[in-house]
Amino acid sequence: MGSSSTNDTGSPVFTLTGLPGLEDSQHWMFLLLGVLYTVSIVGNSLILFIVKEEQSLHQPMYYFLSLLSINDLGVSLSTLPSVLATFCFHTQEIAFDTCMAQMFFIHFFSFTESGILLAMSFDRYVAICNPLRYSTILTDARVAQMGLFIGFRSFCVDFPMPFLLKRLPFCKANILSHAYCLHPDLIRLPCGDITINNIFGLCIVICTFVPDSVLILLSYILILRSVLAIASQEERLKTLNTCVSHICAVLMFYGPMLGVSMVHRYGRYAPPYVYTLMSLVYLFVPPMLNPIIYSIKTKEICRRLIRLFFGTKL
């Protein structure tokens, strides 16, 4: 076994990949990723600060937005060390345990984001379809319970993955397609039987992303039915406008995730850098755009940002 696959203790070592075939452009990629990280971390931190400081934003909708911002910060920080090592310091080897830990956190935050988006769709459903009971259904205690359940579910479905990989032998040149560790990428590398891993991965998708996306779609069908019952066109548009930010967040999350899944399963003849670019869109674009969209579309947050940076009110 070469040094690319094991270290001195016998544990596998993985080789991270920057942009296969585009090595000469990696310094530009580092600058791009630096901008994305900065916007994501600063933007989501500002959202958390504003929600904490602004008393009028102490409502279920903004509590869920805070959870989304915390989760987006987690996504950014979980990929940051290996991305910096690969693109900035050209250190491409990552130890097995470090890789497993990173994989755990990346997928944990993915499962959590799906649950938060579902909770936010439920918030919009109650606010539009049953507004008189909004404050009694979505109490602070219930929001906290929903947040804890989402985190607990994500932990339970994610926890076995590193251990299922750890039991397998790695005897190839363990070269990953990305600058971080993803389960669909790692599952291609073992020499042993990966049937259990594949079945477990399918079960995770069936138990998390599928029901979450179906329930989000159902909530918007019910919301649309309720909105169409409103007589005034102006009121319809005003009501639907409260959902625009969430709809954008859902599309930004599930769209790239579906793209990454399709590329890994059916893009065997695609250029190697396509895998990397798709995963970059999946992991970097939503955490960057979510705070921007919510800042633009939410008047209270927009006002506080203007007051924070310019000292003036709208």
Side-chain angles (χ1 to χ4, degrees):
M1 235 179 273
S3 61
S4 63
S5 57
T6 59
N7 59 19
D8 293 337
T9 64
S11 299
V13 174
F14 300 103
T15 301
L16 301 168
T17 304
L19 285 174
L22 298 175
E23 285 78 8
D24 294 338
S25 305
Q26 293 200 160
H27 59 289
W28 294 109
M29 181 55 67
F30 171 70
L31 291 175
L32 172 62
L33 294 178
V35 172
L36 295 180
Y37 274 123
T38 302
V39 173
S40 173
I41 293 171
V42 173
N44 285 294
S45 298
L46 281 173
I47 292 286
L48 291 172
F49 173 77
I50 290 170
V51 172
K52 177 180 178 293
E53 294 296 317
E54 194 71 35
Q55 194 68 31
S56 64
L57 300 182
H58 292 180
Q59 303 173 32
M61 172 183 173
Y62 300 105
Y63 293 150
F64 288 128
L65 176 58
S66 297
L67 288 177
L68 185 64
S69 292
I70 292 171
N71 193 78
D72 284 343
L73 283 172
V75 172
S76 297
L77 295 176
S78 63
T79 59
L80 181 60
S82 61
V83 168
L84 282 178
T86 302
F87 288 102
C88 184
F89 302 108
H90 306 289
T91 304
Q92 294 182 285
E93 287 194 346
I94 183 170
F96 180 84
D97 289 337
T98 305
C99 191
M100 291 300 103
Q102 185 181 54
M103 180 195 74
F104 172 84
F105 283 110
I106 289 175
H107 289 288
F108 172 82
F109 290 121
S110 291
F111 299 140
T112 302
E113 180 144 358
S114 180
I116 293 171
L117 291 174
L118 174 59
M120 294 175 85
S121 73
F122 178 68
D123 170 85
R124 292 298 81 210
Y125 164 75
V126 176
I128 293 171
C129 300
N130 206 344
L132 297 179
R133 296 189 60 202
Y134 181 80
S135 59
T136 57
I137 293 174
L138 285 170
T139 61
D140 290 353
R142 192 156 291 159
V143 170
Q145 290 169 358
M146 291 169 70
L148 289 172
F149 174 77
I150 290 167
F152 178 74
R153 185 193 70 165
S154 300
F155 178 82
C156 289
V157 298
D158 194 25
F159 184 72
M161 281 203 296
F163 297 99
L164 287 174
L165 277 170
K166 197 166 187 174
R167 68 187 178 84
L168 295 171
F170 289 82
C171 53
K172 304 174 184 176
N174 297 318
I175 300 174
L176 301 175
S177 303
H178 313 292
Y180 34 79
C181 301
L182 293 177
H183 185 262
D185 202 18
L186 286 162
I187 202 65
R188 302 180 297 106
L189 302 178
C191 304
D193 184 7
I194 59 171
T195 303
I196 293 176
N197 300 70
N198 282 328
I199 292 173
F200 182 75
L202 180 61
C203 289
I204 286 177
V205 172
I206 293 173
C207 293
T208 54
F209 296 128
V210 171
D212 287 357
S213 58
V214 169
L215 289 172
I216 290 171
L217 179 62
L218 177 62
S219 70
Y220 273 102
I221 291 173
L222 296 174
I223 287 170
L224 189 59
R225 188 179 69 174
S226 180
V227 168
L228 291 176
I230 300 173
S232 167
Q233 172 122 10
E234 184 180 345
E235 285 298 316
R236 287 183 194 172
L237 294 174
K238 185 178 178 181
T239 303
L240 284 175
N241 191 50
T242 64
C243 301
V244 169
S245 299
H246 179 255
I247 291 171
C248 290
V250 170
L251 293 176
M252 286 189 301
F253 176 73
Y254 283 103
M257 183 182 69
L258 181 62
V260 169
S261 178
M262 296 293 286
V263 165
H264 271 287
R265 283 165 175 77
Y266 306 111
R268 65 180 67 182
Y269 301 112
Y273 62 83
V274 171
Y275 296 91
T276 305
L277 291 176
M278 286 299 299
S279 69
L280 288 176
V281 171
Y282 169 52
L283 289 173
F284 288 82
V285 172
M288 179 199 68
L289 288 183
N290 282 339
I292 294 174
I293 291 171
Y294 275 96
S295 297
I296 293 172
K297 294 298 297 179
T298 308
K299 290 181 180 178
E300 293 85 352
I301 294 176
C302 186
R303 288 193 190 108
R304 184 59 192 254
L305 280 172
I306 292 173
R307 202 183 338 164
L308 185 66
F309 286 108
F310 303 104
T312 58
K313 296 183 181 181
L314 284 177

